[in-house]
Amino acid sequence: MSVTGIIFSNIHDNNLPELTRMRTMASVPFGCRYRFIDFTLSNMVNSGVTSIGIITQTNYQSLADHIGTGKDWDLASRAGGIKLISPNITAFAQDSRIMNVTTRLESLKSATVYISRRTEDLVVLSDCDVICNVDFSDMIDFYEKTNSDITLAVKRMKLTADLAEKNVIIKSDEDGRVRDLLVYPRDVIGEHDISLNIMVMKREKLLDLIADASAHGYTSFNTDVLLKNINSYKITSYSYEGYFACVSSLSEYFTCSMELLDPAVRRALLDVKDRPIYTKVRNSPPTRYTEGSYVKNSLLADGCVIRGTVENSIIFRGVTVDKGAVIKNSIVMQDGYISKNCALNCAILDKNAVLKEGRVLSGHPTIPFYVPKNSII
Amino acid sequence: MLQKKECVAMLLAGGQGSRLYNLTEKNAKPAVPFGGKYRIIDFTLSNCVNSGIDTVGVLTQYQPYVLNEYIGSGQPWDLDKTYGGVKILPPYQRANGAYWYKGTANAIYQNMGFIDRYDPDYVLILSGDHIYKMNYNNMLKFHKANNADCTIAVIDVPLSEASRFGIMNTNGDGSIYEFEEKPAKPKSTKASMGIYIFNAGILRKYLEEDDNDPSSSNDFGKNVIPKMLADGAKMYAYQFTGYWKDVGTVKSLWEANMDLTSDDPALDLRTPEMRILSRNSTRPPHFTGENAKIVNSLVTEGCEVYGTVINSVLFGGVKVAAGATVKDSVVFEETEIGEGSTVEYSILDCRIKTGKNCKIGEPKEADKGIALLGADMVIPDGTVIEGGVMTSKFEKEDK
């Protein structure tokens, strides 16, 4: 069966207010050279989904810039390819409520024209911040084999109360039939299946759901659509066993980034055979290490010049680390410049940050020191 | 309706490159890897694009698969055009027979039909085995300002080395009065870079004459240029200043790679001007392990370094195991250096699997020459390969 993809680009923006001030959740940089959306996009492409609509709402310049024509994902295609679905606001819309699309269901309403014009049988819907390497075709097989109306991808995780509050817990019976959803529950801890916010259903079904939700004035996909229909529809859960980074706060962003230093995590996420993660090509030259550089247990992208010390850190493309500078347990995003004798510990430097000579910044894994984009310190 | 192109570039990429030995056994010289993530042809292709030339014919003849695959639609260089773009031009059969490219001039002559499709005023002839950044548009401006028939790019070389090159002897205004191929006693230090701009009509005339001359070896440097000079054509030397390196030999290929590892490289690939474009891999970022030591080296995506890397260039996906040392060496894609092994003053081709405690090559100071290992070899534990050895034996891995 043919499959089309829908990605929500602004979902969960408020989980990472620091990093999404100037960008969508979809275009948050991650793992030296990727953006969050690269994982979902690559998963789709690697599973043969080659027509993808990205629903945008606000702040999407950086996303549009990242996606370009889609050629870096082989999605510059006449038959489908990638489409940015911008907010559908008419010239008459003076009402800020119309312009303020906040939920998954509301964004879907604005994408009905796009969805109804597609010709594929199935649709896979995914959030932009699902950092995992999943084979959608396996999930779709499961959907078909179980004769489901809707299949949700879930991942078994050990939850803290903080993490539970930002996720949807799925309760299924043994054969995978979903029996209950706990939407952003309070005071839940322990091992649970959480929703990866990836869904598979028939495209026609999705259009019916949107029309129905629209007629009833529903706003939440989870509570108004899934939960209300939990007995009338066959909703199943597909269990994903691979690596998943659940980034719902800056400290988790920090923790998940550092997890990439573990070779097993890299193999499960970035280096899966036949399922590479694509990203925008930047044509950076290789990274140059000079005399006196000292780098250990770190992950580095291309285009850097390393003259100083880097330990347990994530260094993005085009970063310069000058002599005498010491970077430990930190994340330095694209084109950062760390001058001589600076010292960093548990810091996150957003793009183009410049540290002048001798600056010392230190945070803690729970509250990393965040330096906004284009800052000069 | 075809649009006219002012200038069409013809890139000579058919040479065997026999002085690169096993690196060109199954690969045309322009497709030989260079500088960590490039291939030699990236430099000329990128120069074309960065100079606003969007129509490039690539003339191939020798082992073309890797090169064809690499160039593909030309997308990495923005040369996937509706009209123009990059085109691969192999020799082809005609009504009156089929001929291989007999020389550089003959290769262009056989493709005059390709050039005619774009009705250009100028034709830029390039060779695919040089490393440099150059704006051909400036050379074209110079050519037009002089109202020349042909302009040849030249670079100053040390007088002591001038007898290895084709030397242009010029008047004060840059016009060429004499061309000497590898002169024993050079009169000038202006070496031809193998980059020519011709007026399209003049080029056609001389290529036709050259084709009719049975004694000609159909080569630009040996036949066409001397003939034009003898006829009194208006020929100018365009002085290029900047980094330029012929990478036709193992030694010069090694040197050009090493030039990039300096902290202030003569050819800076990091500047945004004249950026060199290449077909990028989808490898993850590179990782440096707990006891890694990397000095004066280039490392790129997909590498995993747990050992020591000094004065070396590592290509994508190279693994250097703990306790291994790579020094003064160039290691191509996906090659793995096993635990405790030492690689010195060597060039290792792609996908070689080196066992534990091997010794490959000898220190540069030993002066035994560069060890050159061919692709896909599996080298057993404890193997010793002496300096200067060129080999592609050992059991090849089943593909």
Side-chain angles (χ1 to χ4, degrees):
Chain A
M1 274 210 241
S2 53
V3 188
T4 187
I6 298 277
I7 300 175
F8 303 93
S9 70
N10 287 81
I11 292 279
H12 309 143
D13 276 7
N14 45 9
N15 282 350
L16 283 178
E18 299 88 347
L19 294 171
T20 55
R21 213 173 86 79
M22 303 288 280
R23 52 171 79 90
T24 59
M25 193 69 169
S27 45
V28 168
F30 184 76
C32 288
R33 60 193 294 267
Y34 306 99
R35 305 284 186 136
F36 277 177
I37 198 171
D38 289 338
F39 296 92
T40 301
L41 272 181
S42 303
N43 286 337
M44 286 190 177
V45 171
N46 291 335
S47 311
V49 180
T50 54
S51 81
I52 299 170
I54 302 176
I55 302 179
T56 61
Q57 286 155 23
T58 49
N59 264 352
Y60 56 89
Q61 275 183 18
S62 66
L63 178 63
D65 177 58
H66 181 67
I67 300 294
T69 61
K71 73 177 177 181
D72 292 327
W73 297 263
D74 279 338
L75 286 172
S77 150
R78 285 187 212 286
I82 205 159
K83 297 277 182 301
L84 284 188
I85 304 165
S86 46
N88 194 4
I89 301 165
T90 66
F92 314 107
Q94 301 295 326
D95 188 342
S96 64
R97 277 173 305 171
I98 301 174
M99 306 171 67
N100 204 2
V101 180
T102 52
T103 70
R104 195 184 315 275
L105 197 52
E106 284 164 331
S107 358
L108 278 172
K109 283 180 200 165
S110 69
T112 25
V113 176
Y114 173 81
I115 299 167
S116 58
R117 281 201 185 148
R118 297 304 319 166
T119 55
E120 288 84 354
D121 307 314
L122 297 183
V123 54
V124 45
L125 301 120
S126 173
D127 284 356
C128 58
D129 57 346
V130 191
I131 302 169
C132 66
N133 197 320
V134 59
D135 184 358
F136 285 131
S137 43
D138 194 48
M139 180 174 172
I140 290 162
D141 280 352
F142 175 86
Y143 163 85
E144 288 178 340
K145 227 178 276 164
T146 51
N147 239 332
S148 304
D149 291 312
I150 299 172
T151 295
L152 311 173
V154 300
K155 167 84 184 164
R156 187 141 274 254
M157 301 258 299
K158 254 206 182 96
L159 298 180
T160 58
D162 283 350
L163 211 53
E165 234 174 73
K166 293 189 168 169
N167 281 287
V168 175
I169 293 174
I170 309 273
K171 304 234 180 222
S172 334
D173 55 25
E174 274 177 12
D175 54 0
R177 178 89 191 250
V178 174
R179 292 302 178 189
D180 198 10
L181 267 76
L182 309 177
V183 182
Y184 311 127
R186 290 209 178 160
D187 298 328
V188 173
I189 51 166
E191 225 172 66
H192 291 279
D193 281 341
I194 61 160
S195 170
L196 292 179
N197 294 314
I198 299 172
M199 283 181 274
V200 174
M201 68 184 90
K202 288 210 169 60
R203 192 176 55 87
E204 295 295 339
K205 179 86 187 171
L206 177 64
L207 285 169
D208 289 348
L209 291 179
I210 298 170
D212 183 62
S214 209
H216 289 92
Y218 294 158
T219 51
S220 160
F221 204 94
N222 284 315
T223 52
D224 295 335
V225 178
L226 295 180
L227 209 47
K228 278 203 173 102
N229 293 303
I230 208 150
N231 291 317
S232 46
Y233 296 154
K234 186 172 183 192
I235 304 175
T236 53
S237 62
Y238 166 82
S239 199
Y240 166 69
E241 309 287 348
Y243 176 79
F244 167 60
C246 182
V247 179
S248 49
S249 68
L250 194 67
S251 76
E252 274 157 26
Y253 174 85
F254 183 83
T255 311
C256 291
S257 295
M258 291 305 160
E259 278 177 6
L260 293 172
L261 297 177
D262 177 353
V265 168
R266 285 202 305 281
R267 269 196 298 279
L269 183 65
L270 305 176
D271 217 0
V272 179
K273 193 173 181 306
D274 298 326
R275 296 216 304 264
I277 305 299
Y278 301 91
T279 188
K280 182 185 174 188
V281 166
R282 199 174 177 240
N283 283 295
S284 314
T287 283
R288 198 166 68 220
Y289 293 83
T290 71
E291 194 75 56
S293 73
Y294 179 75
V295 179
K296 72 177 210 180
N297 196 37
S298 295
L299 204 56
L300 298 96
D302 274 359
C304 302
V305 172
I306 310 294
R307 302 188 178 97
T309 298
V310 179
E311 278 181 47
N312 309 326
S313 294
I314 306 284
I315 310 292
F316 282 67
R317 298 191 272 203
V319 169
T320 306
V321 180
D322 229 329
K323 273 197 170 23
V326 178
I327 299 180
K328 286 185 181 177
N329 313 310
S330 293
I331 300 168
V332 183
M333 291 187 198
Q334 197 168 301
D335 295 328
Y337 195 101
I338 317 297
S339 307
K340 280 179 194 164
N341 305 323
C342 285
L344 290 184
N345 183 35
C346 293
I348 299 177
L349 271 60
D350 208 322
K351 282 176 71 178
N352 292 317
V354 175
L355 292 198
K356 293 194 171 179
E357 203 173 326
R359 301 292 184 262
V360 178
L361 306 180
S362 184
H364 185 270
T366 51
I367 305 184
F369 194 117
Y370 174 73
V371 177
K373 191 172 167 180
N374 300 330
S375 307
I376 300 174
I377 299 186
Chain B
M1 179 67 183
L2 299 181
Q3 300 155 265
K4 182 182 169 63
K5 300 277 182 190
E6 188 191 27
C7 182
V8 167
M10 299 294 274
L11 208 164
L12 297 159
Q16 189 182 341
S18 55
R19 287 174 302 158
L20 290 176
Y21 302 93
N22 41 29
L23 296 181
T24 50
E25 196 180 322
K26 285 187 181 164
N27 193 358
K29 181 157 65 169
V32 166
F34 178 80
K37 58 187 296 191
Y38 307 94
R39 291 182 187 257
I40 294 170
I41 198 172
D42 284 328
F43 290 79
T44 25
L45 277 183
S46 303
N47 286 341
C48 284
V49 176
N50 292 331
S51 310
I53 295 169
D54 68 359
T55 308
V56 185
V58 178
L59 297 106
T60 61
Q61 172 157 286
Y62 176 80
Q63 290 283 10
Y65 293 150
V66 178
L67 184 60
N68 289 357
E69 159 109 41
Y70 187 70
I71 291 176
S73 66
Q75 183 249 73
W77 306 270
D78 286 336
L79 286 171
D80 49 341
K81 296 278 178 189
T82 335
Y83 179 59
V86 63
K87 306 280 183 255
I88 304 272
L89 304 172
Y92 60 94
Q93 192 178 23
R94 295 168 175 69
N96 62 354
Y99 307 96
W100 292 107
Y101 295 151
K102 286 180 281 181
T104 52
N106 178 260
I108 303 293
Y109 180 67
Q110 289 201 37
N111 286 289
M112 281 310 288
F114 170 81
I115 296 172
D116 288 343
R117 292 176 68 82
Y118 302 97
D119 186 25
D121 299 323
Y122 307 100
V123 179
L124 170 68
I125 311 278
L126 301 165
S127 41
D129 47 6
H130 296 144
I131 302 297
Y132 62 111
K133 282 186 184 182
M134 175 174 176
N135 191 331
Y136 302 131
N137 203 29
N138 293 342
M139 179 172 168
L140 185 59
K141 280 185 199 152
F142 175 86
H143 178 82
K144 287 195 263 187
N146 286 315
N147 208 7
D149 293 326
C150 171
T151 299
I152 301 170
V154 296
I155 186 160
D156 272 319
V157 293
L159 189 63
S160 57
E161 287 181 31
S163 49
R164 295 199 295 120
F165 293 91
I167 296 294
M168 302 290 162
N169 299 322
T170 57
N171 302 310
D173 64 348
S175 60
I176 302 167
Y177 67 88
E178 191 183 20
F179 169 71
E180 292 181 292
E181 182 70 28
K182 298 187 176 136
K185 286 193 177 154
K187 290 178 211 156
S188 100
T189 54
K190 292 186 195 310
S192 167
M193 297 163 69
I195 302 167
Y196 311 101
I197 292 178
F198 289 94
N199 289 355
I202 303 272
L203 178 68
R204 171 189 302 281
K205 173 173 173 282
Y206 277 93
L207 290 182
E208 274 170 6
E209 283 179 19
D210 179 68
D211 191 57
N212 288 329
D213 177 2
S215 68
S216 170
S217 53
N218 308 109
D219 186 86
F220 275 104
K222 282 195 199 104
N223 310 102
V224 178
I225 303 298
K227 179 79 173 30
M228 287 180 76
L229 270 172
D231 286 0
K234 263 187 106 173
M235 302 179 76
Y236 281 83
Y238 173 76
Q239 182 79 44
F240 174 73
T241 51
Y243 183 89
W244 178 81
K245 188 105 183 168
D246 182 325
V247 286
T249 65
V250 174
K251 183 87 192 299
S252 62
L253 182 69
W254 180 88
E255 283 170 356
N257 274 291
M258 289 304 129
D259 288 344
L260 296 173
T261 63
S262 122
D263 195 17
D264 183 23
L267 182 75
D268 193 351
L269 298 173
R270 215 172 166 240
T271 54
E273 300 85 44
M274 302 288 290
R275 167 106 352 149
I276 303 302
L277 310 169
S278 67
R279 191 172 283 280
N280 277 245
S281 74
T282 50
R283 296 193 177 93
H286 71 266
F287 181 70
T288 55
E290 200 61 44
N291 297 308
K293 183 185 173 194
I294 311 176
V295 177
N296 288 336
S297 296
L298 297 188
V299 181
T300 187
E301 284 153 4
C303 290
E304 286 183 17
V305 180
Y306 295 92
T308 302
V309 179
I310 302 168
N311 300 336
S312 295
V313 176
L314 305 187
F315 283 68
V318 166
K319 311 258 188 303
V320 179
T325 300
V326 178
K327 196 180 172 198
D328 299 319
S329 295
V330 182
V331 185
F332 290 176
E333 284 186 4
E334 307 287 344
T335 284
E336 297 176 10
I337 315 295
E339 262 178 53
S341 290
T342 311
V343 177
E344 286 206 66
Y345 201 36
S346 302
I347 298 180
L348 271 58
D349 206 340
C350 309
R351 301 175 301 273
I352 299 173
K353 283 202 166 56
T354 310
K356 292 176 185 169
N357 305 315
C358 295
K359 245 177 89 61
I360 294 164
E362 285 173 56
K364 190 165 170 276
E365 300 72 38
D367 216 18
K368 291 253 190 90
I370 298 165
L372 182 63
L373 271 59
D376 297 306
M377 291 197 288
V378 177
I379 299 173
D381 291 355
T383 305
V384 176
I385 297 176
E386 287 174 17
V389 169
M390 296 186 183
T391 176
S392 33
K393 61 175 192 221
F394 295 111
E395 189 187 343
K396 301 217 174 181
E397 234 185 328
D398 285 335
K399 285 258 106 189

